[in-house]
Structure formats: structure tokens, C-alpha cells
Amino acid sequence: MASVLEVRPLAEQAQAEIRRLILAGELHLGQQVSEDVLAARLGISRTPVREALRRLTEEGLIEAGGRLRARVASLDDAGATAIAQVRGEL
């Protein structure tokens, strides 16, 4: 019998958690983020964190700059308003 529960890849879970940290304001706009620090915080290796950051870069939440230079993206007024609305709902 197949399980009803889904098992999501670590990179997908890391992506969701890093997104949550950004939207909750725990990672600030313009803040430098490190794969090593995020991996330690999430209790996983750097590889899924690296993939999560790549995906979040595609979403526009992270500005790429390499392993030691990635930053939480700065947003325009519309983006800041959208984040504020999401935070309000959380």
C-alpha cells in the first residue's frame, strides 16, 4: 500500500523555510546570507541550501553573489507592500 504522505526533497523544504524566514522578517532585506550559516540553522548540509538559494534567486527573493555573498533581495515599494501583507496574515 502506498503512503498518503509526501516526502519532499530537502532542497524544497529548505526553500520553503528560507522563504518563510524572509517573509517573517527574520532575514532582513539586504542581509547577507551564507550557505554555511543557513545549513547549520536548518540542520542540513550546504548542498540543499545551495539549491534552495538558487531557486529563491529565480523567485527574486535572493540576489546571487556566490556562496559567501548572497543577499536577501531589496524590494521596490510594491514588493515591500506584498511582504507586509503576507506578514500580516502570518
Side-chain angles (χ1 to χ4, degrees), residues 6-48:
E6 285 185 45
V7 178
R8 294 187 320 171
L10 278 178
E12 194 175 303
Q13 293 177 54
Q15 178 183 1
E17 180 59 15
I18 296 167
R19 182 186 304 110
R20 187 198 69 74
L21 292 170
I22 293 169
L23 295 176
E26 293 182 47
L27 293 177
H28 304 286
L29 300 180
Q31 178 180 342
Q32 185 172 343
V33 293
S34 161
E35 288 178 10
D36 293 330
V37 172
L38 287 172
R41 183 173 183 166
L42 300 176
I44 59 177
S45 70
R46 285 191 343 243
T47 301

Side-chain angles (χ1 to χ4, degrees), residues 20 22-25 29 75-90:
R20 187 198 69 74
I22 293 169
L23 295 176
L29 300 180
L75 301 175
D76 57 15
D77 288 340
T81 300
I83 284 183
Q85 290 172 341
V86 170
R87 284 183 184 162
E89 291 177 18
L90 292 175

